Amino acid sequence: MTRVVVDPLTRIEGHLRVSTEVNANGEITDAQSSGMLFRGMERILVNRDPRDASRFTQRVCGICPTAQGMASVNALDDLYEVADQIPKDALVTRNIIQSINTMASHATHIYVLWGPDLVNPAYRDLLATVEGTGSVVWKELLSRFAPISYKLNGESITPGTAYINAIKEKKNLEEAMAVIGGKMPHQMATVTGGVTYRPNLADIGTLTGHYYKLMDFVNSSTLGVNAQTWLDNTYRASSPQKAVNFLLEHLQNLVDKSLSSNDFSFSAGWGDLELLSAFGSELIGEKTLGLPASLKIDKTGGYAEDANIGFLTYGAFYDVENGDGYDPVGFGQSAFQQAAFINSSFEKKAFDHKYVTEETSHGFYSSDDALHPYDGVTEPLTTASEITYEGGSDSRYSWIKAPRYNGTPCEVGPISRLIAMEEPLTMGMMQVFADNGYSAVNSFTRMVAKAQELLILAEQFLKWVTVDLDPNGKYFVNPDLDNAKDSKGIGLWEAPRGALGHWVKAGSDLKITNYQMVVPTTWNCSPRDANGVAGPLEQALIGTKISAAENALGVDNTNPTGILHTARSFDPCIACAVHTIDLTDKARTSRTFN
Ligand code: NFE
Ligand code: MG
C-alpha cells in the first residue's frame, strides 16, 4: 500500500489536498479530500446590514462571484419579502447575468483548467505505443491544449489553440457582463428588489454581438455542424439513443476523414468532444478514432455500484414566462433548470430544502451536529495542533463542512442539472457507460454535460436578450427594510459548479444574526460525515486507477493522472498555487505537473 498525496492540487480554484492509499495494482483504495483554507466569510457578515451580503459574498470567489451575488439577492428578496414582486424584466436581466458567468466558467474549465490534462506526459508515452496515428494525435493534443510554448524533442510547440481561444472567449463574455453589470468580477447590477441597471436597445445589440462572437468560438469548431443543428439532434433529440447515435456518426465521419488524410487539425472547440471521447472511454474511442485497444484509458471518477450517493440541483434561472415574482422556496420547480434530488438509481424526487444539513465531525470546527443552514454554526478550531491533515479518514481533516441531503452525500454541477432536465445527450452517454458495466456518472460524462450545458445556455441567453428583455419594462421594486426584523430568508440558485444556497437570519435591530452559505464545492469535496460516509470526490476516487494510462504503461504513482483527472472533472473551487506531490506523506517531494 502506497500513500499518494497531491497537495495542493492545481488548475482548480483554491487549495485542495487529496490524500490516497494505492494498492499494488494501482487502484485507489482510500481517499480524503481536504479543503486547506478557512475564509470566515459567514462570520464577517454577522452584525452587518443584510444588504451588504450581496456585495460581500461576491468576494468569495473570482470565478463564480456572480452566482454568490445571485444566491444572496435571492435570500434577501425572501428576507425583505419582495420575491413575489420582483419585476419580470429584472428576473430576465438576472438570468442573462448568470448565464454569462456560467458560460465563461465552463469555457475556462473545459479548455484552460481541464484540457491541459490531455497533454500530460503519460499520454505522450501512451500514444508513442500506437503505430501510425499516435504521434499525430499527440501533436494535435499539444497544439490544442498545451498551456505554454515549449520545446519537444527540439521542436517548438506553440500554445494550444483551444486553450488560447477559450481565454479570448472568456474576455468576450466578461465584456458582455460589463454591459449590464459594469464590471467582472463583482458585477454591480443585482440588488434585492431587482436590478439597478436598465438595459437599453443599444445594449441588446451589443449583447447580441457578444452572442455571435461566442458562436464563432463554438461553430468554428463543430466540424461542419453548427450549434443549432447540434442542439436539434442532441438536446432536442426524441430519445437519448438518437442523441448518442448522432454524436457517434458525426464523430465517425470526422475520424474517417482525418484518418484518410492523416490530418487531425480540426479547429478547436466542440470537435474536441471527439478527442475527449477517445480519451474518456474505450467504447467511444474504438468506435471513433479507431485506436487500438492498447490505447484504452481507464475511465476515472465513477462511483461504485452500491454507492451511497445522490445528485442534487436547486434549479436555476427564473421562469420568466410566469411574469413578475418567484417563489423563493419552490422556485426551482418552475425554473428553466429544475430542482431535483436524484438517487443513485437515477430516480428523480422533488427537492425540499428542509433536508439540507451540514455537519463537521471530520472538519476543523467545534460544532458537530448535523444542522439545517438556518441554524448552521461556523466555529473554527483555532489550536494549531488540532489542525492536521494527516490523521486519515477517522480524524478531522478538512475546512470543508459535510453537507448532506436527507443524510446522503450529493454530487452537484452540470451533470446533476442535465439529469434533472433529462437532457438526451447526457442521458444517452450515461446509458452507454451503464450498459457496458461502468458508472454512468464519471469524469467523461461530467465533461460532456458541461460542454452540452454551455450550448444550451448560449441559446437561452439569446432568447432572454432578444425576445424577453424590454428596455421599457420595470426593473426594481423598493423593499421595505423593516421586513427583515426577526426574519429569515433563503436563496437557492445554481452556480456554474452546482447547487448554491445562502440562508440569512436577521434580528430585531435589522442586522444579520446568522449567514450560512453551502456552496457547490462543499457538496462535491465534502469530507466524511459522522456515519463515515465519504463525500462525492472521495467516493469517485476510490476504485479509480492512480495512473489513467495504466493499461499500457503500468502503475505510475509519481504521475497520478487518476487523481488529477477525477478531481478536476468536478471543477473544484477551493486559488491556484504551486504543483506539488508528496509520495511519502512525510518528506514533501515536489514535482511539477502541467
Ligand atoms: Ni468559486 Fe463556486 C461555483 C460557487 S464554488 S467557483 O460555481 O458557488 O463551488
Ligand atoms: Mg458554509
Side-chain angles (χ1 to χ4, degrees):
M1 203 65 82
T2 313
R3 177 151 288 272
V4 178
V5 180
V6 182
D7 171 20
L9 197 149
T10 57
R11 266 192 278 111
I12 62 164
E13 283 250 332
H15 294 69
L16 175 71
R17 168 191 170 96
V18 169
S19 173
T20 61
E21 294 253 317
V22 182
N23 69 19
N25 299 324
E27 195 173 286
I28 297 172
T29 56
D30 189 22
Q32 289 99 44
S33 149
S34 302
M36 306 288 283
L37 68 168
F38 176 70
R39 304 282 307 281
M41 296 296 287
E42 293 164 339
R43 293 171 62 91
I44 289 169
L45 285 166
V46 172
N47 282 330
R48 291 188 185 270
D49 185 308
R51 290 172 297 173
D52 285 348
S54 69
R55 293 287 170 268
F56 278 53
T57 61
Q58 285 204 60
R59 270 72 186 174
V60 162
C61 172
I63 198 157
C64 69
T66 316
Q68 303 291 349
M70 286 293 311
S72 190
V73 290
N74 283 357
L76 299 179
D77 288 346
D78 189 25
L79 183 78
Y80 293 117
E81 300 170 17
V82 284
D84 61 347
Q85 301 159 48
I86 307 296
K88 177 197 148 191
D89 290 294
L91 298 179
V92 173
T93 309
R94 288 181 181 181
N95 280 352
I96 291 170
I97 287 175
Q98 183 58 55
S99 61
I100 295 171
N101 174 232
T102 301
M103 293 189 290
S105 180
H106 284 8
T108 307
H109 180 246
I110 295 169
Y111 295 106
V112 181
L113 299 178
W114 187 86
D117 273 7
L118 298 178
V119 291
N120 186 295
Y123 295 130
R124 175 197 58 210
D125 298 347
L126 191 63
L127 285 160
T129 67
V130 181
E131 278 181 37
T133 56
S135 62
V136 184
V137 173
W138 171 244
K139 258 201 189 159
E140 180 57 25
L141 284 173
L142 276 182
S143 72
R144 287 183 201 212
F145 293 113
I148 49 167
S149 310
Y150 61 93
K151 289 217 175 203
L152 180 79
N153 302 330
E155 192 183 346
S156 290
I157 305 286
T158 52
T161 48
Y163 185 94
I164 299 296
N165 286 347
I167 292 173
K168 289 183 184 158
E169 186 44 42
K170 188 164 192 217
K171 175 171 179 279
N172 173 47
L173 288 165
E174 303 215 328
E175 286 170 356
M177 179 71 84
V179 172
I180 295 178
K183 66 188 182 72
M184 176 69 197
H186 315 137
Q187 58 79 25
M188 301 180 295
T190 51
V191 291
T192 177
V195 293
T196 55
Y197 185 76
R198 169 190 296 274
N200 57 38
L201 277 177
D203 295 334
I204 292 176
T206 308
L207 288 170
T208 307
H210 286 295
Y211 166 81
Y212 283 108
K213 269 198 195 159
L214 170 65
M215 284 302 104
D216 282 349
F217 172 68
V218 170
N219 284 337
S220 69
S221 53
T222 44
L223 314 157
V225 178
N226 68 25
Q228 182 74 46
T229 309
W230 179 275
L231 289 175
D232 283 348
N233 287 282
T234 57
Y235 177 49
R236 284 183 280 275
S238 55
S239 71
Q241 190 58 51
K242 285 206 168 136
V244 170
N245 289 347
F246 174 79
L247 173 68
L248 292 181
E249 276 162 33
H250 173 64
L251 298 182
Q252 193 65 61
N253 287 341
L254 294 169
V255 170
D256 290 349
K257 216 157 78 184
S258 308
L259 282 174
S260 62
S261 59
N262 209 25
D263 175 12
F264 283 79
S265 54
F266 330 127
S267 46
W270 256 249
D272 294 326
L273 266 180
E274 188 270 338
L275 280 171
L276 297 181
S277 303
F279 284 81
S281 154
E282 57 264 36
L283 303 166
I284 315 288
E286 276 168 20
K287 221 175 159 164
T288 57
L289 276 179
L291 295 170
S294 62
L295 200 59
K296 285 180 182 175
I297 292 174
D298 284 316
K299 290 152 305 305
T300 53
Y303 294 109
E305 213 165 320
D306 58 351
N308 184 349
I309 191 81
F311 304 88
L312 183 70
T313 167
Y314 296 159
F317 303 108
Y318 312 99
D319 179 6
V320 296
E321 314 298 332
N322 275 347
D324 297 348
Y326 68 99
D327 172 357
V329 176
F331 107 90
Q333 270 77 43
S334 63
F336 166 64
Q337 295 192 315
Q338 294 195 354
F341 167 76
I342 294 135
N343 68 19
S344 58
S345 317
F346 299 105
E347 291 157 350
K348 198 159 79 170
K349 319 264 182 195
F351 163 75
D352 187 332
H353 85 92
K354 79 174 183 228
Y355 292 119
V356 176
T357 58
E358 277 191 316
E359 57 116 292
T360 61
S361 56
H362 291 77
F364 301 126
Y365 298 88
S366 62
S367 155
D368 286 350
D369 298 333
L371 300 170
H372 182 274
Y374 272 138
D375 304 313
V377 176
T378 304
E379 284 288 349
L381 298 181
T382 51
T383 311
S385 62
E386 292 179 301
I387 298 161
T388 167
Y389 301 92
E390 307 189 355
S393 7
D394 295 335
S395 69
R396 296 182 188 272
Y397 59 88
S398 184
W399 286 107
I400 300 176
K401 293 181 178 176
R404 296 293 183 263
Y405 185 81
N406 208 3
T408 305
C410 292
E411 175 169 345
V412 300
I415 193 157
S416 301
R417 294 191 283 259
L418 268 52
I419 295 171
M421 291 173 85
E422 297 173 44
E423 195 281 317
L425 183 65
T426 307
M427 302 307 276
M429 294 304 294
M430 285 170 44
Q431 194 61 49
V432 169
F433 281 99
D435 286 349
N436 288 278
Y438 299 110
S439 172
V441 173
N442 56 49
S443 299
F444 176 67
T445 47
R446 271 179 208 113
M447 297 307 293
V448 169
K450 173 162 289 185
Q452 185 73 345
E453 187 179 57
L454 204 167
L455 279 189
I456 294 169
L457 288 183
E459 186 178 77
Q460 203 60 36
F461 167 84
L462 186 66
K463 175 185 176 285
W464 286 324
V465 168
T466 59
V467 178
D468 295 317
L469 210 52
D470 175 8
N472 298 314
K474 192 172 172 187
Y475 285 82
F476 182 70
V477 287
N478 218 358
D480 180 348
L481 300 182
D482 288 335
N483 285 342
K485 193 170 178 204
D486 297 318
S487 189
K488 56 188 185 176
I490 180 172
L492 299 173
W493 196 244
E494 284 286 321
R497 286 155 194 73
L500 171 65
H502 286 197
W503 282 264
V504 60
K505 271 182 166 171
S508 54
D509 59 356
L510 307 181
K511 298 277 173 59
I512 293 175
T513 56
N514 197 8
Y515 200 99
Q516 292 286 317
M517 312 175 234
V518 185
V519 312
T521 298
T522 325
W523 286 98
N524 287 338
C525 296
S526 156
R528 274 140 177 96
D529 56 33
N531 297 320
V533 179
L537 169 60
E538 295 179 331
Q539 290 194 37
L541 283 166
I542 295 168
T544 289
K545 291 281 171 63
I546 188 75
S547 35
E550 189 258 343
N551 276 341
L553 300 175
V555 175
D556 183 3
N557 286 335
T558 67
N559 187 0
T561 50
I563 297 178
L564 302 174
H565 275 327
T566 299
R568 292 195 183 114
S569 75
F570 283 90
D571 195 1
C573 168
I574 306 169
C576 306
V578 198
H579 313 207
T580 47
I581 176 171
D582 176 359
L583 282 173
T584 64
D585 207 25
K586 289 190 188 77
R588 298 230 159 162
T589 325
S590 285
R591 261 191 66 137
T592 304
F593 294 104
N594 286 315

